[in-house]
mmCIF file of all heavy atoms in Angstrom:
data_model
loop_
_atom_site.group_PDB
_atom_site.id
_atom_site.type_symbol
_atom_site.label_atom_id
_atom_site.label_comp_id
_atom_site.label_asym_id
_atom_site.label_seq_id
_atom_site.Cartn_x
_atom_site.Cartn_y
_atom_site.Cartn_z
ATOM 1 N N VAL A 1 -65.802 56.945 -67.802
ATOM 2 C CA VAL A 1 -65.269 55.601 -68.048
ATOM 3 C C VAL A 1 -63.862 55.430 -67.474
ATOM 4 O O VAL A 1 -63.281 54.356 -67.587
ATOM 5 C CB VAL A 1 -65.283 55.243 -69.558
ATOM 6 C CG1 VAL A 1 -66.701 55.105 -70.048
ATOM 7 C CG2 VAL A 1 -64.528 56.264 -70.376
ATOM 8 N N ASP A 2 -63.331 56.500 -66.862
ATOM 9 C CA ASP A 2 -62.020 56.493 -66.211
ATOM 10 C C ASP A 2 -60.903 56.078 -67.168
ATOM 11 O O ASP A 2 -60.109 55.185 -66.880
ATOM 12 C CB ASP A 2 -62.040 55.583 -64.972
ATOM 13 C CG ASP A 2 -60.868 55.828 -64.043
ATOM 14 O OD1 ASP A 2 -60.243 56.902 -64.118
ATOM 15 O OD2 ASP A 2 -60.566 54.929 -63.234
ATOM 16 N N VAL A 3 -60.874 56.759 -68.333
ATOM 17 C CA VAL A 3 -59.860 56.472 -69.357
ATOM 18 C C VAL A 3 -59.126 57.760 -69.715
ATOM 19 O O VAL A 3 -59.742 58.789 -69.989
ATOM 20 C CB VAL A 3 -60.501 55.861 -70.624
ATOM 21 C CG1 VAL A 3 -59.477 55.728 -71.739
ATOM 22 C CG2 VAL A 3 -61.117 54.513 -70.312
ATOM 23 N N LEU A 4 -57.803 57.685 -69.706
ATOM 24 C CA LEU A 4 -56.959 58.787 -70.153
ATOM 25 C C LEU A 4 -56.476 58.452 -71.561
ATOM 26 O O LEU A 4 -55.900 57.388 -71.783
ATOM 27 C CB LEU A 4 -55.750 58.966 -69.227
ATOM 28 C CG LEU A 4 -54.787 60.082 -69.599
ATOM 29 C CD1 LEU A 4 -55.437 61.436 -69.344
ATOM 30 C CD2 LEU A 4 -53.499 59.967 -68.813
ATOM 31 N N THR A 5 -56.760 59.339 -72.502
ATOM 32 C CA THR A 5 -56.388 59.127 -73.903
ATOM 33 C C THR A 5 -55.347 60.157 -74.309
ATOM 34 O O THR A 5 -55.529 61.350 -74.066
ATOM 35 C CB THR A 5 -57.619 59.260 -74.816
ATOM 36 O OG1 THR A 5 -58.617 58.340 -74.394
ATOM 37 C CG2 THR A 5 -57.261 58.990 -76.268
ATOM 38 N N ILE A 6 -54.274 59.689 -74.915
ATOM 39 C CA ILE A 6 -53.238 60.570 -75.440
ATOM 40 C C ILE A 6 -53.160 60.320 -76.938
ATOM 41 O O ILE A 6 -52.807 59.230 -77.379
ATOM 42 C CB ILE A 6 -51.875 60.311 -74.777
ATOM 43 C CG1 ILE A 6 -52.000 60.498 -73.268
ATOM 44 C CG2 ILE A 6 -50.805 61.233 -75.368
ATOM 45 C CD1 ILE A 6 -50.782 60.074 -72.487
ATOM 46 N N GLN A 7 -53.533 61.335 -77.714
ATOM 47 C CA GLN A 7 -53.510 61.239 -79.170
ATOM 48 C C GLN A 7 -52.234 61.909 -79.663
ATOM 49 O O GLN A 7 -52.030 63.103 -79.465
ATOM 50 C CB GLN A 7 -54.744 61.935 -79.754
ATOM 51 C CG GLN A 7 -54.825 61.880 -81.238
ATOM 52 C CD GLN A 7 -56.038 62.647 -81.770
ATOM 53 O OE1 GLN A 7 -56.765 63.291 -81.030
ATOM 54 N NE2 GLN A 7 -56.231 62.574 -83.061
ATOM 55 N N LEU A 8 -51.356 61.128 -80.277
ATOM 56 C CA LEU A 8 -50.066 61.636 -80.739
ATOM 57 C C LEU A 8 -50.109 62.155 -82.163
ATOM 58 O O LEU A 8 -49.265 62.950 -82.561
ATOM 59 C CB LEU A 8 -49.014 60.521 -80.630
ATOM 60 C CG LEU A 8 -48.841 59.914 -79.238
ATOM 61 C CD1 LEU A 8 -47.903 58.707 -79.314
ATOM 62 C CD2 LEU A 8 -48.326 60.942 -78.265
ATOM 63 N N SER A 9 -51.079 61.684 -82.927
ATOM 64 C CA SER A 9 -51.173 62.030 -84.342
ATOM 65 C C SER A 9 -52.637 62.043 -84.754
ATOM 66 O O SER A 9 -53.473 61.394 -84.126
ATOM 67 C CB SER A 9 -50.417 60.978 -85.165
ATOM 68 O OG SER A 9 -50.715 61.091 -86.526
ATOM 69 N N LYS A 10 -52.938 62.771 -85.821
ATOM 70 C CA LYS A 10 -54.305 62.788 -86.346
ATOM 71 C C LYS A 10 -54.546 61.655 -87.345
ATOM 72 O O LYS A 10 -55.635 61.525 -87.891
ATOM 73 C CB LYS A 10 -54.590 64.132 -87.010
ATOM 74 C CG LYS A 10 -54.666 65.259 -86.014
ATOM 75 C CD LYS A 10 -55.047 66.554 -86.684
ATOM 76 C CE LYS A 10 -55.112 67.668 -85.647
ATOM 77 N NZ LYS A 10 -55.546 68.937 -86.233
ATOM 78 N N ALA A 11 -53.533 60.832 -87.556
ATOM 79 C CA ALA A 11 -53.671 59.701 -88.482
ATOM 80 C C ALA A 11 -54.746 58.746 -87.962
ATOM 81 O O ALA A 11 -54.860 58.530 -86.753
ATOM 82 C CB ALA A 11 -52.348 58.957 -88.614
ATOM 83 N N PRO A 12 -55.543 58.173 -88.856
ATOM 84 C CA PRO A 12 -56.581 57.234 -88.437
ATOM 85 C C PRO A 12 -55.982 55.993 -87.771
ATOM 86 O O PRO A 12 -54.917 55.513 -88.160
ATOM 87 C CB PRO A 12 -57.277 56.840 -89.729
ATOM 88 C CG PRO A 12 -56.815 57.790 -90.769
ATOM 89 C CD PRO A 12 -55.533 58.387 -90.296
ATOM 90 N N VAL A 13 -56.682 55.492 -86.768
ATOM 91 C CA VAL A 13 -56.257 54.278 -86.069
ATOM 92 C C VAL A 13 -56.654 53.083 -86.925
ATOM 93 O O VAL A 13 -57.808 52.900 -87.280
ATOM 94 C CB VAL A 13 -56.909 54.181 -84.675
ATOM 95 C CG1 VAL A 13 -56.560 52.858 -84.014
ATOM 96 C CG2 VAL A 13 -56.479 55.355 -83.809
ATOM 97 N N GLU A 14 -55.666 52.286 -87.265
ATOM 98 C CA GLU A 14 -55.884 51.090 -88.080
ATOM 99 C C GLU A 14 -56.004 49.847 -87.195
ATOM 100 O O GLU A 14 -56.729 48.919 -87.508
ATOM 101 C CB GLU A 14 -54.722 50.928 -89.060
ATOM 102 C CG GLU A 14 -54.900 49.863 -90.089
ATOM 103 C CD GLU A 14 -55.928 50.211 -91.153
ATOM 104 O OE1 GLU A 14 -56.184 51.406 -91.400
ATOM 105 O OE2 GLU A 14 -56.487 49.271 -91.744
ATOM 106 N N GLU A 15 -55.277 49.858 -86.076
ATOM 107 C CA GLU A 15 -55.248 48.688 -85.207
ATOM 108 C C GLU A 15 -54.959 49.139 -83.780
ATOM 109 O O GLU A 15 -54.246 50.116 -83.560
ATOM 110 C CB GLU A 15 -54.148 47.734 -85.677
ATOM 111 C CG GLU A 15 -54.028 46.472 -84.883
ATOM 112 C CD GLU A 15 -52.903 45.573 -85.380
ATOM 113 O OE1 GLU A 15 -52.341 45.818 -86.461
ATOM 114 O OE2 GLU A 15 -52.580 44.635 -84.659
ATOM 115 N N SER A 16 -55.529 48.432 -82.817
ATOM 116 C CA SER A 16 -55.256 48.686 -81.404
ATOM 117 C C SER A 16 -54.806 47.385 -80.757
ATOM 118 O O SER A 16 -55.244 46.306 -81.145
ATOM 119 C CB SER A 16 -56.506 49.208 -80.699
ATOM 120 O OG SER A 16 -56.895 50.451 -81.226
ATOM 121 N N ASP A 17 -53.925 47.515 -79.758
ATOM 122 C CA ASP A 17 -53.383 46.330 -79.115
ATOM 123 C C ASP A 17 -53.193 46.609 -77.625
ATOM 124 O O ASP A 17 -52.650 47.648 -77.254
ATOM 125 C CB ASP A 17 -52.038 45.971 -79.752
ATOM 126 C CG ASP A 17 -51.431 44.701 -79.196
ATOM 127 O OD1 ASP A 17 -52.186 43.807 -78.773
ATOM 128 O OD2 ASP A 17 -50.198 44.598 -79.202
ATOM 129 N N GLN A 18 -53.651 45.682 -76.798
ATOM 130 C CA GLN A 18 -53.453 45.807 -75.356
ATOM 131 C C GLN A 18 -52.339 44.846 -74.960
ATOM 132 O O GLN A 18 -52.566 43.746 -74.496
ATOM 133 C CB GLN A 18 -54.740 45.498 -74.596
ATOM 134 C CG GLN A 18 -54.638 45.796 -73.132
ATOM 135 C CD GLN A 18 -55.961 45.678 -72.401
ATOM 136 O OE1 GLN A 18 -57.012 45.519 -72.967
ATOM 137 N NE2 GLN A 18 -55.901 45.757 -71.091
ATOM 138 N N ASP A 19 -51.105 45.302 -75.165
ATOM 139 C CA ASP A 19 -49.929 44.485 -74.881
ATOM 140 C C ASP A 19 -49.774 44.244 -73.387
ATOM 141 O O ASP A 19 -49.445 43.157 -72.951
ATOM 142 C CB ASP A 19 -48.682 45.157 -75.452
ATOM 143 C CG ASP A 19 -47.455 44.279 -75.362
ATOM 144 O OD1 ASP A 19 -47.557 43.086 -75.708
ATOM 145 O OD2 ASP A 19 -46.399 44.785 -74.949
ATOM 146 N N LYS A 20 -49.992 45.271 -72.607
ATOM 147 C CA LYS A 20 -49.931 45.189 -71.138
ATOM 148 C C LYS A 20 -51.326 45.484 -70.591
ATOM 149 O O LYS A 20 -52.036 46.328 -71.142
ATOM 150 C CB LYS A 20 -48.946 46.219 -70.570
ATOM 151 C CG LYS A 20 -47.539 46.092 -71.091
ATOM 152 C CD LYS A 20 -46.845 44.904 -70.485
ATOM 153 C CE LYS A 20 -45.398 44.862 -70.942
ATOM 154 N NZ LYS A 20 -44.753 43.629 -70.636
ATOM 155 N N PRO A 21 -51.718 44.846 -69.507
ATOM 156 C CA PRO A 21 -53.047 45.105 -68.942
ATOM 157 C C PRO A 21 -53.234 46.581 -68.594
ATOM 158 O O PRO A 21 -52.382 47.194 -67.955
ATOM 159 C CB PRO A 21 -53.071 44.253 -67.673
ATOM 160 C CG PRO A 21 -52.040 43.201 -67.889
ATOM 161 C CD PRO A 21 -50.990 43.834 -68.755
ATOM 162 N N GLY A 22 -54.325 47.163 -69.075
ATOM 163 C CA GLY A 22 -54.664 48.535 -68.743
ATOM 164 C C GLY A 22 -54.101 49.589 -69.665
ATOM 165 O O GLY A 22 -54.375 50.771 -69.491
ATOM 166 N N VAL A 23 -53.304 49.196 -70.668
ATOM 167 C CA VAL A 23 -52.740 50.164 -71.614
ATOM 168 C C VAL A 23 -53.003 49.675 -73.035
ATOM 169 O O VAL A 23 -52.597 48.579 -73.411
ATOM 170 C CB VAL A 23 -51.214 50.351 -71.411
ATOM 171 C CG1 VAL A 23 -50.658 51.329 -72.428
ATOM 172 C CG2 VAL A 23 -50.917 50.825 -70.003
ATOM 173 N N ILE A 24 -53.701 50.498 -73.807
ATOM 174 C CA ILE A 24 -54.013 50.159 -75.195
ATOM 175 C C ILE A 24 -53.213 51.083 -76.105
ATOM 176 O O ILE A 24 -53.259 52.311 -75.953
ATOM 177 C CB ILE A 24 -55.516 50.314 -75.478
ATOM 178 C CG1 ILE A 24 -56.308 49.354 -74.597
ATOM 179 C CG2 ILE A 24 -55.810 50.079 -76.961
ATOM 180 C CD1 ILE A 24 -57.804 49.543 -74.661
ATOM 181 N N LEU A 25 -52.467 50.503 -77.023
ATOM 182 C CA LEU A 25 -51.706 51.271 -78.003
ATOM 183 C C LEU A 25 -52.466 51.271 -79.322
ATOM 184 O O LEU A 25 -52.962 50.228 -79.761
ATOM 185 C CB LEU A 25 -50.319 50.667 -78.209
ATOM 186 C CG LEU A 25 -49.407 50.657 -76.984
ATOM 187 C CD1 LEU A 25 -48.106 49.946 -77.305
ATOM 188 C CD2 LEU A 25 -49.139 52.055 -76.488
ATOM 189 N N ASP A 26 -52.574 52.439 -79.951
ATOM 190 C CA ASP A 26 -53.239 52.585 -81.241
ATOM 191 C C ASP A 26 -52.188 52.812 -82.322
ATOM 192 O O ASP A 26 -51.267 53.611 -82.142
ATOM 193 C CB ASP A 26 -54.198 53.776 -81.219
ATOM 194 C CG ASP A 26 -55.325 53.602 -80.212
ATOM 195 O OD1 ASP A 26 -55.782 52.458 -80.033
ATOM 196 O OD2 ASP A 26 -55.757 54.606 -79.622
ATOM 197 N N TYR A 27 -52.334 52.105 -83.439
ATOM 198 C CA TYR A 27 -51.377 52.170 -84.538
ATOM 199 C C TYR A 27 -52.054 52.644 -85.826
ATOM 200 O O TYR A 27 -53.227 52.345 -86.064
ATOM 201 C CB TYR A 27 -50.778 50.781 -84.806
ATOM 202 C CG TYR A 27 -50.064 50.199 -83.619
ATOM 203 C CD1 TYR A 27 -50.725 49.386 -82.709
ATOM 204 C CD2 TYR A 27 -48.710 50.448 -83.411
ATOM 205 C CE1 TYR A 27 -50.062 48.842 -81.612
ATOM 206 C CE2 TYR A 27 -48.040 49.906 -82.320
ATOM 207 C CZ TYR A 27 -48.723 49.107 -81.433
ATOM 208 O OH TYR A 27 -48.065 48.572 -80.347
ATOM 209 N N ASP A 28 -51.284 53.330 -86.677
ATOM 210 C CA ASP A 28 -51.789 53.699 -87.997
ATOM 211 C C ASP A 28 -51.522 52.550 -88.968
ATOM 212 O O ASP A 28 -51.009 51.494 -88.584
ATOM 213 C CB ASP A 28 -51.171 55.018 -88.483
ATOM 214 C CG ASP A 28 -49.676 54.953 -88.743
ATOM 215 O OD1 ASP A 28 -49.089 53.840 -88.744
ATOM 216 O OD2 ASP A 28 -49.080 56.021 -88.972
ATOM 217 N N LYS A 29 -51.841 52.754 -90.238
ATOM 218 C CA LYS A 29 -51.697 51.684 -91.238
ATOM 219 C C LYS A 29 -50.250 51.244 -91.456
ATOM 220 O O LYS A 29 -49.994 50.140 -91.914
ATOM 221 C CB LYS A 29 -52.324 52.106 -92.570
ATOM 222 C CG LYS A 29 -51.639 53.278 -93.219
ATOM 223 C CD LYS A 29 -52.298 53.647 -94.528
ATOM 224 C CE LYS A 29 -51.602 54.878 -95.065
ATOM 225 N NZ LYS A 29 -51.267 54.791 -96.418
ATOM 226 N N ASP A 30 -49.275 52.119 -91.095
ATOM 227 C CA ASP A 30 -47.863 51.783 -91.260
ATOM 228 C C ASP A 30 -47.245 51.192 -89.991
ATOM 229 O O ASP A 30 -46.040 50.934 -89.943
ATOM 230 C CB ASP A 30 -47.069 53.030 -91.674
ATOM 231 C CG ASP A 30 -47.508 53.554 -93.030
ATOM 232 O OD1 ASP A 30 -47.782 52.733 -93.927
ATOM 233 O OD2 ASP A 30 -47.599 54.798 -93.185
ATOM 234 N N GLY A 31 -48.062 50.996 -88.953
ATOM 235 C CA GLY A 31 -47.566 50.416 -87.718
ATOM 236 C C GLY A 31 -46.981 51.411 -86.733
ATOM 237 O O GLY A 31 -46.402 51.022 -85.728
ATOM 238 N N ASN A 32 -47.136 52.707 -87.016
ATOM 239 C CA ASN A 32 -46.642 53.737 -86.103
ATOM 240 C C ASN A 32 -47.650 53.956 -84.981
ATOM 241 O O ASN A 32 -48.863 53.944 -85.208
ATOM 242 C CB ASN A 32 -46.448 55.065 -86.847
ATOM 243 C CG ASN A 32 -45.445 54.939 -87.955
ATOM 244 O OD1 ASN A 32 -44.341 54.454 -87.761
ATOM 245 N ND2 ASN A 32 -45.828 55.362 -89.154
ATOM 246 N N ILE A 33 -47.167 54.197 -83.769
ATOM 247 C CA ILE A 33 -48.061 54.490 -82.650
ATOM 248 C C ILE A 33 -48.634 55.888 -82.840
ATOM 249 O O ILE A 33 -47.889 56.855 -83.009
ATOM 250 C CB ILE A 33 -47.316 54.396 -81.304
ATOM 251 C CG1 ILE A 33 -46.831 52.970 -81.059
ATOM 252 C CG2 ILE A 33 -48.227 54.854 -80.158
ATOM 253 C CD1 ILE A 33 -45.985 52.802 -79.825
ATOM 254 N N VAL A 34 -49.962 55.986 -82.845
ATOM 255 C CA VAL A 34 -50.627 57.279 -83.010
ATOM 256 C C VAL A 34 -51.375 57.701 -81.749
ATOM 257 O O VAL A 34 -51.855 58.824 -81.657
ATOM 258 C CB VAL A 34 -51.573 57.281 -84.231
ATOM 259 C CG1 VAL A 34 -50.796 57.092 -85.511
ATOM 260 C CG2 VAL A 34 -52.658 56.222 -84.094
ATOM 261 N N GLY A 35 -51.462 56.792 -80.785
ATOM 262 C CA GLY A 35 -52.131 57.145 -79.535
ATOM 263 C C GLY A 35 -52.062 56.015 -78.533
ATOM 264 O O GLY A 35 -51.634 54.907 -78.847
ATOM 265 N N LEU A 36 -52.477 56.352 -77.320
ATOM 266 C CA LEU A 36 -52.558 55.331 -76.294
ATOM 267 C C LEU A 36 -53.678 55.676 -75.330
ATOM 268 O O LEU A 36 -54.056 56.834 -75.182
ATOM 269 C CB LEU A 36 -51.230 55.156 -75.564
ATOM 270 C CG LEU A 36 -50.678 56.345 -74.805
ATOM 271 C CD1 LEU A 36 -50.818 56.100 -73.323
ATOM 272 C CD2 LEU A 36 -49.220 56.517 -75.152
ATOM 273 N N GLU A 37 -54.214 54.654 -74.704
ATOM 274 C CA GLU A 37 -55.275 54.820 -73.727
ATOM 275 C C GLU A 37 -54.863 54.107 -72.448
ATOM 276 O O GLU A 37 -54.346 52.986 -72.493
ATOM 277 C CB GLU A 37 -56.574 54.211 -74.241
ATOM 278 C CG GLU A 37 -57.083 54.862 -75.516
ATOM 279 C CD GLU A 37 -58.193 54.052 -76.142
ATOM 280 O OE1 GLU A 37 -59.310 54.092 -75.613
ATOM 281 O OE2 GLU A 37 -57.899 53.374 -77.142
ATOM 282 N N ILE A 38 -55.079 54.768 -71.329
ATOM 283 C CA ILE A 38 -54.809 54.172 -70.030
ATOM 284 C C ILE A 38 -56.152 53.915 -69.364
ATOM 285 O O ILE A 38 -56.895 54.865 -69.069
ATOM 286 C CB ILE A 38 -53.916 55.078 -69.166
ATOM 287 C CG1 ILE A 38 -52.587 55.315 -69.881
ATOM 288 C CG2 ILE A 38 -53.709 54.466 -67.786
ATOM 289 C CD1 ILE A 38 -51.691 56.320 -69.217
#
């Protein structure tokens, strides 16, 4: 699928947001970034 995933924490992803085209940020329940996908 040509996706690079960087997991920063083992915390469950509560929300994801594609603020910029091609980059998805994953957040935990407290709003901390726990991962990103390119």
Side-chain angles (χ1 to χ4, degrees):
V1 292
D2 196 20
V3 173
L4 180 71
T5 303
I6 302 171
Q7 181 183 5
L8 303 173
S9 167
K10 291 184 180 183
V13 175
E14 188 72 25
E15 181 181 349
S16 296
D17 183 30
Q18 188 172 352
D19 188 46
K20 302 286 184 192
V23 179
I24 298 173
L25 297 176
D26 297 325
Y27 301 92
D28 66 10
K29 64 180 177 133
D30 296 321
N32 299 309
I33 296 175
V34 296
L36 62 108
E37 299 168 75
I38 300 173

